[in-house]
């Protein structure tokens, strides 16, 4: 059966085209409204680098990863669950559920808009609905963007460095970046 929700790619798209692709795709399944009983732990893990594992083996089919990602949410206690209308299973997430892997921008300073493509096949525009934060971690700063249902995507290091270079050149105090009429500090 062919995949119903093809991944969105930012590469080669203008920010307007990316926003149109996000709008045309529609939203994810309504996992925020599904509240079945907890069925237990599922032997699935999302590693810090974004790779998904089942029973210790990598899941190599991108369409399968995208399917699991579409029914993932974060609970108020911080746990991550795969949820359907009839079951809910806890999975392990080492850092964040997703990775932001591509970046596209339009405009500058207060008029800038930043689009991100995620390893889940989704895309978003950084702004009030998808704020950018930086969390201080043992391995260094972890730049993250809110995705949906409490889930976050960590920006790949080259994307963070690109944004940091712009922030430093613009001279904001604290260093930060504008996107979609909101300012986001790039320091923890």
């Amino acid at each position: 059966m062919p995949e119903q929700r093809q991944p969105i790619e930012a590469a080669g798209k203008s920010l307007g085209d990316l926003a149109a692709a996000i709008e045309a795709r529609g939203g994810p399944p309504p996992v925020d409204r599904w509240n079945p009983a907890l069925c237990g732990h599922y032997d699935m893990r999302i590693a810090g680098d974004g790779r998904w594992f089942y029973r210790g083996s990598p899941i190599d089919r991108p369409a399968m990863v995208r399917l699991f990602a579409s029914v993932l949410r974060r609970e108020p206690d911080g746990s991550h669950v795969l949820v359907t209308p009839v079951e809910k299973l806890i999975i392990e997430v080492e850092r964040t559920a997703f990775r932001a892997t591509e970046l596209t921008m339009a405009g500058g300073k207060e008029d800038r808009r930043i689009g991100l493509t995620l390893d889940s096949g989704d895309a978003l525009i950084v702004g009030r609905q998808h704020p950018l934060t930086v969390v201080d971690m043992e391995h260094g700063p972890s730049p993250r963007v809110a995705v949906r249902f409490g889930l976050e995507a960590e920006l790949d290091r080259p994307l963070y460095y690109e944004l940091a270079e712009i922030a430093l050149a613009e001279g904001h105090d604290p260093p930060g970046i504008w996107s979609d009429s909101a300012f986001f500090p790039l320091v923890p």
Side-chain angles (χ1 to χ4, degrees):
M1 179 173 177
E3 188 175 7
Q4 298 297 313
R5 290 172 50 96
Q6 294 296 318
I8 298 173
E9 299 286 337
K13 282 191 170 97
S14 70
L15 195 59
D17 289 343
L18 182 64
I22 293 168
E23 181 70 26
R25 184 177 210 200
V31 300
D32 58 325
R33 296 190 306 244
W34 298 338
N35 290 303
L38 181 64
C39 299
H41 290 263
Y42 196 53
D43 193 4
M44 187 173 283
R45 174 176 63 92
I46 304 173
D49 64 3
R51 289 180 301 149
W52 288 59
F53 292 84
Y54 175 66
R55 294 186 174 170
S57 296
I59 301 174
D60 293 325
R61 292 183 52 209
M64 185 67 69
V65 169
R66 288 190 295 272
L67 175 65
F68 285 129
S70 73
V71 294
L72 183 63
R73 78 172 184 219
R74 193 165 187 193
E75 298 290 85
D77 67 2
S79 63
H80 291 78
V81 295
L82 296 175
V83 63
T84 70
V86 297
E87 66 182 349
K88 179 168 48 173
L89 300 159
I90 295 174
I91 69 166
E92 179 188 348
V93 176
E94 290 182 3
R95 289 204 311 241
T96 61
F98 307 120
R99 307 280 309 162
T101 58
E102 292 181 337
L103 177 145
T104 186
M105 282 187 275
K109 298 186 180 179
E110 290 88 351
D111 296 323
R112 178 183 300 109
R113 293 182 77 205
I114 300 169
L116 297 172
T117 299
L118 309 181
D119 61 354
S120 63
D122 293 317
L124 56 82
I125 307 294
V126 175
R128 286 179 176 77
Q129 186 177 358
H130 300 287
L132 180 66
T133 59
V134 178
V135 177
D136 197 15
M137 301 289 288
E138 189 176 301
H139 65 276
S142 173
R144 300 171 177 203
V145 63
V147 178
R148 63 176 183 273
F149 311 129
L151 301 171
E152 297 174 307
E154 185 173 51
L155 276 66
D156 279 349
R157 204 50 73 188
L159 305 184
Y160 178 54
Y161 291 156
E162 183 175 347
L163 295 179
E165 186 175 304
I166 293 167
L168 292 172
E170 290 179 354
H172 299 293
D173 187 22
I177 195 141
W178 286 90
S179 182
D180 211 20
S181 302
F183 182 76
F184 303 100
L186 293 181
V187 292

